[in-house]
């Protein structure tokens, strides 16, 4: 996940937390494991750098899953199964990004695994290129050169080197804050609906229906097979946390 600007250059580290140490919350027929952050009055032991939550949900058909309402940005990614929101049905591979302040109760319509995530927005946008994320474009260029020259520390026992993807002529780095505003095209390269910005195909997004007095959700449809590994789902994740 993206880090606040003051912590972007923090040294890499790893902390292991056995499953038994992660809070388990059962509500309305759904089991929730709080992987990181805080939600529903519980707090994970995992170290975080900003206010956020990341929850693994397992639910049977008929269960209801409410998202925490004390975080500005929230989303639900359907790993498997199906659910309904505001009378519309959604399935595995779709991410629902909720409008700020929208009341969200997911109706589970099939045995499902769902990832809930969200948090406080950052004051500055994040730029993403391949596996590199930064609030500064020049830092991404420095990191690209370091990766190309293999100046990153090697992974012990790893012999394969994956080259950094090349930047296409005329393309721009996507800004996370502007991503949701890109227009949709029904027939981009490859024949799948998506949002096209420069040379890149992005998942198509639309506003869902909503009940009176509630703001709608922004629905993003993923496209398996895109070679942009840093694509829409990565942008949403970094934008949310």
């Amino acid at each position: 996940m993206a880090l606040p600007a003051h912590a972007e250059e923090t040294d890499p580290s790893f902390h292991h937390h056995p499953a038994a140490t992660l809070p388990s919350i059962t509500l309305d027929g759904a089991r929730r494991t709080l992987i990181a952050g805080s939600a529903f009055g519980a707090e994970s032991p995992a170290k975080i750098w900003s206010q956020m939550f990341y929850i693994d949900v397992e639910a049977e058909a008929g269960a209801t899953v409410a998202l925490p309402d004390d975080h500005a940005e929230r989303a639900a990614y359907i790993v498997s199964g199906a659910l309904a929101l505001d009378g519309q049905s959604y399935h595995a591979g779709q991410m629902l990004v909720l409008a700020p302040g929208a009341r969200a109760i997911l109706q589970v319509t099939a045995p499902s695994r769902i990832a809930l995530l969200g948090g406080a927005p950052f004051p500055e946008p994040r730029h993403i290129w391949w596996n590199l994320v930064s609030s500064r474009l020049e830092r991404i260029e420095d990191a690209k050169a370091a990766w190309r020259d293999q100046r990153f520390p090697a992974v012990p026992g790893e012999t394969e080197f994956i080259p950094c993807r090349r930047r296409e002529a005329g393309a721009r780095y996507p800004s996370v804050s502007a991503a949701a505003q890109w227009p949709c095209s029904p027939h981009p390269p490859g024949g799948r609906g998506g949002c096209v910005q420069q040379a890149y195909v992005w998942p198509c997004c639309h506003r869902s229906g909503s009940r009176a007095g509630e703001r709608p959700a922004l629905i993003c449809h993923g496209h398996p097979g895109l070679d942009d590994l840093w694509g829409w789902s990565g942008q949403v994740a970094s934008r949310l946390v």
Side-chain angles (χ1 to χ4, degrees):
M1 66 184 181
L3 296 176
H6 69 84
E8 282 188 307
E9 300 299 327
T10 299
D11 289 336
S13 60
F14 177 82
H15 304 276
H16 176 70
H17 298 281
T21 67
L22 300 178
S24 180
I25 308 163
T26 299
L27 293 171
D28 302 321
R31 185 203 60 79
R32 300 163 170 81
T33 298
L34 181 59
I35 299 173
S38 59
F40 304 113
E43 185 171 353
S44 167
K47 181 176 178 57
I48 57 173
W49 295 90
S50 60
Q51 292 299 313
M52 53 85 66
F53 69 92
Y54 182 35
I55 304 172
D56 170 31
V57 178
E58 291 181 282
E60 296 297 323
T64 58
V65 178
L67 275 78
D69 57 9
D70 52 351
H71 294 272
E73 297 188 336
R74 298 161 299 154
Y77 177 74
I78 309 171
V79 179
S80 61
L83 56 82
L85 175 63
D86 289 345
Q88 297 188 40
S89 298
Y90 303 99
H91 53 77
Q94 292 183 303
M95 173 175 274
L96 286 66
V97 181
L98 302 172
R103 180 171 178 264
I105 299 180
L106 311 177
Q107 306 294 328
V108 180
T109 56
S112 300
R113 194 80 176 264
I114 307 165
L116 307 181
L117 65 157
F122 291 148
E124 63 283 302
R126 292 298 182 276
H127 305 281
I128 302 177
W129 180 261
W130 194 46
N131 294 326
L132 310 175
V133 181
S134 179
S135 61
R136 297 179 292 128
L137 292 177
E138 65 273 14
R139 185 66 182 94
I140 291 182
E141 291 295 340
D142 291 343
K144 285 172 62 179
W147 183 270
R148 183 175 57 249
D149 299 339
Q150 301 189 46
R151 287 185 274 119
F152 277 90
V155 177
E158 181 61 68
T159 59
E160 180 184 12
F161 175 71
I162 300 175
C164 181
R165 57 171 294 151
R166 293 184 178 275
R167 180 180 181 183
E168 292 85 348
R172 297 183 300 171
Y173 290 106
S175 171
V176 171
S177 61
Q181 302 173 12
W182 291 351
C184 290
S185 169
H187 301 294
R192 292 187 292 251
C195 297
V196 180
Q197 172 73 3
Q198 299 294 336
Y200 307 116
V201 180
W202 298 95
C204 186
C205 302
H206 66 272
R207 294 283 181 180
S208 77
S210 63
R211 290 182 289 271
E214 294 182 358
R215 299 184 64 182
L218 176 65
I219 310 304
C220 302
H221 304 274
H223 296 295
L226 290 180
D227 61 354
D228 294 313
L229 300 181
W230 44 269
W232 182 264
S233 60
Q235 289 218 41
V236 169
S238 64
R239 177 171 176 264
L240 287 169
V241 297

